[in-house]
Amino acid sequence: MTSKYLQNLFAKKQFVSLPTNSDQITKLLKTDPSEMDCETCKNGKYSNWDFENFNMIYANMNDGEEYYAIQYYGNDAVSGLPLWFWFLMTVRPSECKTKFARYNAQLYQTTVDVDANTAKALTVVTFKMNSTFVRLEFGNEYLSRLVISNKEF
């Protein structure tokens, strides 16, 4: 399946360049975001776009960090991301580390959603491409979240 929103956002098969702004992303997505409260964001807000199968946020922080993140919640493989990425496509984190070795890609595991009874493992690949920091998050060997930032994670 191909997402028209992702195709619009990454029409040139490249990441959206930073610095950017909410208006530029809105123009590419062709839909307005919700403005969410955020104490550590410039102007006290970040932008949130909700779609049927994924969510995207854009934040410009008071400390100068700027990032956008796309999280996928669907059950079908979805294309439209740059650099041959698909959400829910079987691409192993180790393959990403190898593919982006020239960018000194790092692979590690972390835990998320921890409470007294459960914890979920997440495999992460991070690398710096030009002046952009990329974080790929894999749950159950599937890419589920992509974060692009102007600062290291």
Side-chain angles (χ1 to χ4, degrees), residues 18-133:
L18 296 175
T20 190
N21 59 53
S22 182
D23 292 339
Q24 181 182 359
I25 294 172
T26 296
K27 183 178 176 182
L28 293 170
L29 289 173
K30 299 179 182 168
T31 188
D32 291 325
S34 301
E35 296 298 322
M36 311 300 282
D37 291 333
C38 172
E39 289 181 21
T40 57
C41 295
K42 285 187 180 176
N43 302 320
K45 303 274 184 191
Y46 71 89
S47 299
N48 180 66
W49 294 265
D50 276 317
F51 299 99
E52 184 177 321
N53 293 335
F54 70 93
N55 167 271
M56 178 171 178
I57 64 170
Y58 166 75
N60 197 346
M61 310 304 285
N62 289 329
D63 68 0
E65 180 182 10
E66 178 183 18
Y67 70 92
Y68 59 92
I70 302 169
Q71 181 138 356
Y72 183 67
Y73 300 104
N75 295 317
D76 298 313
V78 176
S79 68
L81 294 169
L83 302 177
W84 66 264
F85 293 127
W86 285 54
F87 283 122
L88 285 187
M89 185 73 160
T90 306
V91 175
R92 302 211 183 287
S94 58
E95 291 174 284
C96 288
K97 183 180 182 210
T98 302
K99 179 160 180 71
F100 299 109
R102 67 181 170 187
Y103 300 111
N104 195 28
Q106 302 296 309
L107 183 145
Y108 60 93
Q109 248 188 344
T110 188
T111 355
V112 293
D113 297 333
V114 178
D115 65 27
N117 299 314
T118 61
K120 292 181 184 175
L122 190 66
T123 303
V124 177
V125 176
T126 59
F127 57 94
K128 181 181 179 188
M129 181 184 285
N130 303 319
S131 61
T132 302
F133 294 90

